[in-house]
Amino acid sequence: MSSQRVRPEILDFKPYVPGLSEEEIKERYGLKQVVKLASNENPLGASPLAREAVARAAGRMFRYPQNHSPRLAAAIAKAMGIAEAHIVAGNGSDEVIDLLFRVLAQPGKDNVVCYEHCFSMYGLTARLCGVEYREVPRGEDYRLPLESLAEAVDANTKMVFVTSPDNPTGLAAKAEELQVLSGVLPEGALLVVDEAYMDFSWPPEEYSMLAFVPELKNVAVLRTFSKAYGLAGLRLGYGALPLWLAEHVRRARPPFTVNLLAEEAALAVLEDDAFYSETLSVVFKGRELFLKRLPELGCQAWPSQANFVMFRPPYPADQVCEELLKRGVIVRHLKSFGLPENIRVSVGAQAENEAFLKALEEILHG
């Protein structure tokens, strides 16, 4: 039997299930145009400088990129104010997550700790690697349970994951709170702070742990180019890791996982201050609009430090999502996060935000 030829972890493995694409929605509902506010993508699209850089580099796509992306690591380090030796780029921050498991956690012996209703890649990667995955309940009103995380670790805990700002709630932990958590972890446990949405926090210096990576030695920070930098389709992220860990991760990673075009796009977008600033301006305005209008429409909305807002409509969330789809608006029903009463809506361009609010008002009060 084929089931006897694969590892037991694979037999009941449930893969990551992304939301429907624009093309799938158009075909299913007979729509010519849709507004996609489900995947937390950049509301402005891609940086003009990044597009130009990809076009210039397209003729070199037959060449291998430089291994370990040293130019990109240097540019990230300069932009983020941290030494280059701490930076490990990857094929999305998902690759860095996978590498951390492979380098640090022994299958069948070690465990990692996270909280419930969070980004699924931590649990999926743990199961795929044969590592025990422990979830702790969130605090009241989905508060990040930092104290409970500390209580859940033991001598075999290799990593503790905190997403801040959190997906899907948008809540964030203060840097001083995370420093306390790092200080009470047992020796051998690494605090991994996933800062995929940190660009949208305010003020970021109160929340980001990036500057503390060299000092604390047991903290790693993950970042991505998919959100504020608009490169989701090119799959690029990085880890800011303690020096002892960065060296081992670089040795263990497969060669050439950051492709040549992604690297050129990232180098360009790091220089595109106008695009980055406009992205933040659009997100902050749209987020403020959602947090004002959603309660006016009878929804409960949670404060957010990310480029999305989580809300609970007065009617069943699955029905509201379905009605929005019929009107060509894609949002994320949070059933897959274990929150079937809630919806996550990404901040889009002004016209997209208004289309979503108009459709939602028709559904709830039409």
Side-chain angles (χ1 to χ4, degrees):
M1 293 177 63
S2 61
S3 62
Q4 295 174 335
R5 301 176 66 179
V6 301
R7 290 168 46 212
E9 294 90 351
I10 304 301
L11 296 179
D12 60 352
F13 189 80
K14 294 183 174 131
Y16 178 81
V17 180
L20 295 175
S21 68
E22 294 180 62
E23 291 71 24
E24 290 170 323
I25 294 296
K26 288 177 182 177
E27 183 177 353
R28 178 177 296 187
Y29 293 92
L31 299 167
K32 292 185 177 179
Q33 192 168 356
V34 297
V35 172
K36 187 185 178 191
L37 300 176
S39 300
N40 307 332
E41 294 154 335
N42 191 300
L44 302 183
S47 152
L49 295 188
R51 292 199 300 265
E52 292 168 7
V54 169
R56 287 196 303 270
R60 293 192 289 117
M61 68 175 67
F62 70 101
R63 296 291 188 193
Y64 286 106
Q66 192 172 2
N67 199 26
H68 298 311
S69 310
R71 287 193 305 142
L72 178 58
I76 292 170
K78 179 181 176 182
M80 300 303 160
I82 189 170
E84 180 183 344
H86 291 283
I87 302 299
V88 176
N91 183 234
S93 54
D94 290 345
E95 185 193 12
V96 183
I97 293 170
D98 181 63
L99 285 168
L100 291 177
F101 274 92
R102 292 173 184 272
V103 169
L104 293 174
Q106 293 187 48
K109 175 187 175 185
D110 294 330
N111 66 76
V112 299
V113 178
C114 193
Y115 47 79
E116 62 184 356
H117 313 312
C118 71
F119 184 44
S120 63
M121 284 307 299
Y122 315 134
L124 289 175
T125 308
R127 285 188 282 275
L128 191 60
C129 292
V131 175
E132 181 189 354
Y133 181 69
R134 296 180 178 178
E135 280 189 348
V136 301
R138 286 177 179 262
E140 184 179 356
D141 214 18
Y142 305 118
R143 182 177 58 85
L144 305 185
L146 303 186
E147 303 90 347
S148 300
L149 290 174
E151 294 168 0
V153 303
D154 61 23
N156 291 326
T157 299
K158 290 301 179 183
M159 289 181 284
V160 176
F161 282 91
V162 175
T163 314
S164 182
D166 177 51
N167 180 19
T169 67
L171 303 175
K174 292 286 184 72
E176 59 186 8
E177 298 172 315
L178 293 168
Q179 288 179 68
V180 171
L181 176 58
S182 73
V184 299
L185 293 180
E187 186 177 357
L190 180 75
L191 175 60
V192 183
V193 186
D194 191 339
E195 295 188 352
Y197 299 96
M198 186 56 68
D199 298 276
F200 309 109
S201 65
W202 190 261
E205 60 270 13
E206 287 190 13
Y207 296 96
S208 178
M209 289 293 286
L210 197 60
F212 299 101
V213 169
E215 169 190 338
L216 295 178
K217 306 292 192 300
N218 70 338
V219 172
V221 169
L222 306 176
R223 291 284 185 99
T224 181
F225 281 84
S226 296
K227 315 301 180 186
Y229 293 104
L231 301 182
L234 289 178
R235 310 306 305 126
L236 183 61
Y238 65 92
L241 312 178
L243 292 180
W244 64 266
L245 178 58
E247 178 185 352
H248 289 296
V249 170
R250 273 191 287 269
R251 286 166 55 197
R253 62 174 295 181
F256 313 125
T257 57
V258 175
N259 74 74
L260 185 146
L261 299 183
E263 181 174 14
E264 294 298 333
L267 289 168
V269 79
L270 284 171
E271 298 292 332
D272 197 344
D273 294 335
F275 176 82
Y276 182 80
S277 297
E278 182 62 16
T279 294
L280 298 192
S281 176
V282 169
V283 168
F284 290 161
K285 289 177 183 176
R287 188 170 71 191
E288 184 178 356
L289 175 66
F290 285 170
L291 291 173
K292 176 179 181 292
R293 290 288 293 131
L294 286 168
E296 291 175 353
L297 294 175
C299 302
Q300 181 181 2
W302 278 263
S304 175
Q305 292 283 353
N307 65 339
F308 55 81
V309 170
M310 184 178 78
F311 70 98
R312 179 176 298 168
Y315 301 114
D318 57 342
Q319 297 177 21
V320 172
C321 288
E322 182 69 19
E323 290 300 320
L324 284 169
L325 283 176
K326 292 177 182 177
R327 291 164 171 80
V329 178
I330 314 171
V331 295
R332 183 67 181 262
H333 182 212
L334 295 178
K335 181 180 179 181
S336 62
F337 282 84
L339 301 170
E341 297 178 330
N342 296 351
I343 297 170
R344 189 190 69 198
V345 56
S346 308
V347 177
Q350 181 178 347
E352 295 174 320
N353 298 337
E354 291 172 353
F356 158 70
L357 290 169
K358 180 181 178 183
L360 184 62
E361 184 172 15
E362 288 176 0
I363 294 164
L364 299 181
H365 302 290

